Amino acid sequence: MLDSIMSKLNILAEGAKYDISCSSSGSSRKQIKGGLGNAKMCGICHSFTSDGRCISLLKTLMSNDCSFDCLYCGCRRSNDIERASFTPKEICELTVNFYKRNYIEGLFLSSAVEKNPEYTMQKLVDTVIMLRKDYNFNGYIHLKGIPSAPYELILKGAAHADRMSFNIELPSEQSLKLLAPQKNKDGIVRPMQSLAQIYIGQGRKKVLIPAGQTTQMIIGASPESDGQIIRLTQALYNNYRLKRVYYSSYIPVNTGNSLLPQQKSNLIREHRLYQADWLLRFYGFSAQELIAQGENFSEEFDPKCWWAIKNYHNFPVEINKAPLEMLLRVPGIGAVSAYKIVNARKFAVLDFEDLKKMRVTLKRAQHFITCKGKFIGVNTSETAVKGALLYGGDRAKQLSFFDNDTAVSVISGQL
Ligand code: SF4
């Protein structure tokens, strides 16, 4: 029996690997008497290998036997691949066995659309209920929602999961119609909207999905610009209270379709979107300030640096006087340093040495600030600042983390 489960797991864990919407959760729950496991505040990651090495989440599909035919997906109906489906009991057995062996701390459970959305969602919900009630599993569960599944089922899932996610996948309705014809915007967005209304749970006895909801977008399978994508991200955070939006660079798993790029997309693009996302959430930027609707982010400069270069007329700012909102916009001053500066200057007038101690990246910040009225950067023009940032004496650059074929040098350091 275990052998057959393990062979299914080989197939279904492979199918789940492209879903990245399940990293650290923020959910925290202690072990309870008679229960098994707990959910930790951080460190819940999303990798799993079938040889059982210690990776925090068991990440698998319930089934890869999809009735849908999304053009970009390896599990699509028209692909000739080995198909497999777990039963709810098999998932429970696997989860508990792996948990007891200390391989995992929780479960990330997704699925292809087996038969139809209702059938699949019912199986997912049956699984998490069985895991919670029959197996007393108190560990972390991230449950994937199936678009267009009935609301009652989604709600039941939310009552037993720590986190739920419905994947947007494609950043526009038009691309969804073209590349994922059985899906529709309403079927994805409506459940997100409903979860946004229920999950916060303040004042409720039982908090539904305490780790909130997330989503994922594929970058580069369709023609949407970074400007469109980051506006969509902003709307998702504002309207549906998402915890995270994840960006996944397109990888061509199905070749030969003229509607899809034949090359994987550039990882630097994904990286820039994550940086911009960070600026929306922690630095007070709006999508509109960062980039025009039809544009893509610069490969050379991170989005904050690019914004500062374009708005160079607003700089330099005096570190001892500038409001927090402006400090947050200085390249090289991260959010933590900005708050430290605001606190420290209540007691002393700060100079460049103080900033270094606060871990400000002066190599970059120096072009945008003064300390006690003194300026040490390059201030002749926007072009000179660009040059200084890219090719300055300190060469404030780092090598790319990415594959050689997409490798580019990027400015790094604090945003
Ligand atoms: S619904 Fe689409 S993306 Fe999801 S598994 Fe099926 S074919 Fe793949």
Side-chain angles (χ1 to χ4, degrees):
M1 181 67 169
L2 192 62
D3 269 354
S4 116
I5 292 183
M6 289 312 287
S7 13
K8 284 188 194 179
L9 186 59
N10 278 333
I11 297 168
L12 294 169
E14 172 70 17
K17 78 179 181 190
Y18 295 108
D19 197 321
I20 54 158
S21 62
C22 61
S23 61
S24 47
S25 70
S27 186
S28 178
R29 187 174 52 259
K30 290 193 173 140
Q31 180 144 14
I32 54 167
K33 200 172 172 203
L36 185 65
N38 53 34
K40 284 193 181 163
M41 195 67 193
C42 61
I44 296 176
C45 301
H46 52 87
S47 304
F48 174 77
T49 54
S50 52
D51 63 2
R53 274 175 297 127
C54 182
I55 298 174
S56 299
L57 283 189
L58 167 59
K59 180 180 179 181
T60 182
L61 297 179
M62 184 99 206
S63 169
N64 70 348
D65 191 6
C66 201
S67 57
F68 283 13
D69 211 29
C70 308
L71 265 57
Y72 50 83
C73 177
C75 299
R76 63 185 295 212
R77 185 184 60 210
S78 53
N79 277 5
D80 183 16
I81 58 164
E82 200 169 4
R83 305 285 175 177
S85 299
F86 278 126
T87 63
K89 192 167 172 19
E90 284 172 334
I91 295 274
C92 293
E93 292 284 333
L94 260 179
T95 307
V96 168
N97 272 325
F98 279 14
Y99 187 89
K100 285 181 174 168
R101 290 177 196 181
N102 229 3
Y103 293 163
I104 56 157
E105 296 166 78
L107 171 68
F108 172 81
L109 185 59
S110 181
S111 186
V113 183
E114 195 182 354
K115 295 188 182 168
N116 57 57
E118 182 173 356
Y119 177 86
T120 310
M121 195 71 223
Q122 182 72 60
K123 256 180 99 176
L124 293 171
V125 168
D126 288 349
T127 307
V128 290
I129 292 178
M130 188 185 280
L131 201 47
R132 292 290 192 222
K133 296 206 166 150
D134 298 352
Y135 289 80
N136 282 333
F137 184 73
N138 192 42
Y140 177 82
I141 298 177
H142 179 156
L143 184 64
K144 203 83 203 162
I146 303 298
S148 303
Y151 175 66
E152 299 69 34
L153 282 178
I154 292 166
L155 204 59
K156 269 192 189 172
H160 296 89
D162 290 274
R163 168 169 282 181
M164 280 190 86
S165 54
F166 287 82
N167 281 356
I168 296 261
E169 302 289 26
L170 297 162
S172 77
E173 200 171 0
Q174 202 183 7
S175 294
L176 203 61
K177 273 188 189 146
L178 197 65
L179 303 180
Q182 286 91 2
K183 291 182 182 169
N184 63 74
K185 186 183 158 202
D186 236 32
I188 300 168
V189 164
R190 256 175 209 255
M192 290 169 94
Q193 205 168 14
S194 311
L195 289 180
Q197 284 157 7
I198 59 160
Y199 89 77
I200 295 300
Q202 267 121 20
R204 285 172 183 266
K205 279 194 177 152
K206 175 162 174 40
V207 178
L208 301 176
I209 47 168
Q213 56 172 331
T214 61
T215 192
Q216 167 179 291
M217 276 187 256
I218 304 170
I219 305 305
S222 48
E224 292 79 13
S225 64
D226 292 350
Q228 280 173 278
I229 292 168
I230 210 70
R231 277 167 180 71
L232 174 58
T233 296
Q234 180 171 263
L236 291 170
Y237 284 131
N238 291 346
N239 301 338
Y240 304 139
R241 299 147 106 168
L242 259 70
K243 278 280 166 87
R244 286 296 304 272
V245 175
Y246 293 92
Y247 310 92
S248 178
S249 276
Y250 169 70
I251 299 170
V253 288
N254 303 323
T255 48
N257 192 310
S258 60
L259 292 173
L260 287 168
Q262 300 307 305
Q263 304 285 325
K264 63 182 176 182
S265 63
N266 185 348
L267 283 174
I268 189 75
R269 188 172 176 208
E270 178 188 299
H271 182 57
R272 291 288 179 247
L273 283 164
Y274 275 115
Q275 289 178 318
D277 181 296
W278 203 256
L279 294 177
L280 296 184
R281 290 186 297 136
F282 302 111
Y283 286 75
F285 280 89
S286 71
Q288 289 73 9
E289 283 178 289
L290 289 173
I291 190 167
Q293 170 96 2
E295 282 180 0
N296 283 343
F297 287 113
S298 155
E299 286 194 4
E300 282 179 315
F301 297 97
D302 71 60
K304 183 175 166 186
C305 213
W306 188 235
W307 178 87
I309 292 168
K310 283 195 295 182
N311 291 277
Y312 194 60
H313 54 276
N314 291 322
F315 295 101
V317 294
E318 168 55 45
I319 221 74
N320 289 290
K321 289 188 187 150
L324 175 66
E325 307 78 65
M326 199 60 202
L327 292 177
L328 286 167
R329 284 162 187 252
V330 175
I333 299 184
V336 174
S337 306
Y339 286 101
K340 276 188 191 165
I341 291 168
V342 170
N343 274 333
R345 70 189 185 186
K346 288 180 193 158
F347 309 102
V349 183
L350 305 178
D351 58 28
F352 291 108
E353 281 309 306
D354 296 319
L355 297 186
K356 273 190 202 161
K357 287 179 202 149
M358 291 175 199
R359 310 197 63 176
V360 168
T361 312
L362 269 185
K363 286 172 186 174
R364 306 170 69 200
Q366 63 181 346
H367 306 297
F368 303 94
I369 56 170
T370 57
C371 273
K372 300 182 190 171
K374 192 174 169 202
F375 181 78
I376 57 169
V378 174
N379 73 342
T380 47
S381 68
E382 186 185 307
T383 317
V385 173
K386 269 189 194 171
L389 286 167
L390 275 177
Y391 307 112
D394 48 62
R395 292 185 70 82
K397 295 166 95 181
Q398 73 170 30
L399 291 175
S400 169
F401 292 121
F402 309 122
D403 297 341
N404 286 337
D405 56 343
T406 54
V408 282
S409 293
V410 293
I411 295 254
S412 68
Q414 289 199 69
L415 284 170

